[in-house]
Amino acid sequence: MKLDEWLTTSPDYERPVAQKLLELAASLPDAHVEPVSVGLFVKRRSTFAQLRTMTKWTALTVKLTREVSDPKPSRRVQRLGSRWFHTYNLTRADDLSNAIIEMIEQAYEADA
């Protein structure tokens, strides 16, 4: 799926969040965004962050090498091997806080 197509078909509440995530991804060398029907996958070697369309919000999942509790995830943190998956329900661009942006940057570095 092309990014422009994904953006035009995504819900209104999701576009501002996606735009902010896209700006962040553009600032990370070697990071690229893969738009798919269910959302956006942000990758380096593998997917380290993903944005998924939900009914009334956008779910952002960040893959880290450790568990964090601040900011508090919207869902229970899932562990798979040596990775922890933190999910945040976002309804507007401001929900993508500096703390969450720092987590995405850490996930990017860990995916080198």
Side-chain angles (χ1 to χ4, degrees), residues 64-83:
L64 292 173
T65 57
R66 62 188 171 77
E67 184 174 4
V68 297
S69 57
D70 187 31
K72 186 177 191 284
S74 302
R75 300 184 198 165
R76 187 172 62 88
V77 175
Q78 299 291 316
R79 183 176 181 189
L80 181 60
S82 62
R83 301 289 188 244

Side-chain angles (χ1 to χ4, degrees), residues 41-111:
F41 293 173
V42 185
K43 300 180 174 191
R44 189 175 191 180
R45 258 184 345 104
S46 63
T47 301
F48 61 89
Q50 59 181 277
L51 200 64
R52 289 193 177 249
T53 305
M54 306 307 273
T55 306
K56 296 181 180 179
W57 63 86
T58 300
L60 172 70
T61 301
V62 181
K63 177 176 73 171
L64 292 173
T65 57
R66 62 188 171 77
E67 184 174 4
V68 297
S69 57
D70 187 31
K72 186 177 191 284
S74 302
R75 300 184 198 165
R76 187 172 62 88
V77 175
Q78 299 291 316
R79 183 176 181 189
L80 181 60
S82 62
R83 301 289 188 244
W84 281 263
F85 295 84
H86 303 75
T87 301
Y88 299 89
N89 295 339
L90 312 175
T91 57
R92 51 195 176 86
D94 290 344
D95 291 342
L96 192 53
S97 67
N98 289 337
I100 295 174
I101 288 171
E102 287 176 15
M103 288 175 60
I104 295 169
E105 292 169 342
Q106 291 170 14
Y108 164 81
E109 290 297 329
D111 200 49

Side-chain angles (χ1 to χ4, degrees), residues 6-34:
W6 185 89
L7 286 168
T8 59
T9 59
S10 65
D12 291 340
Y13 60 84
E14 187 166 43
R15 272 184 232 112
V17 175
Q19 290 290 359
K20 192 168 180 179
L21 182 62
L22 290 167
E23 289 170 15
L24 173 61
S27 73
L28 302 172
D30 301 325
H32 65 277
V33 176
E34 182 179 330

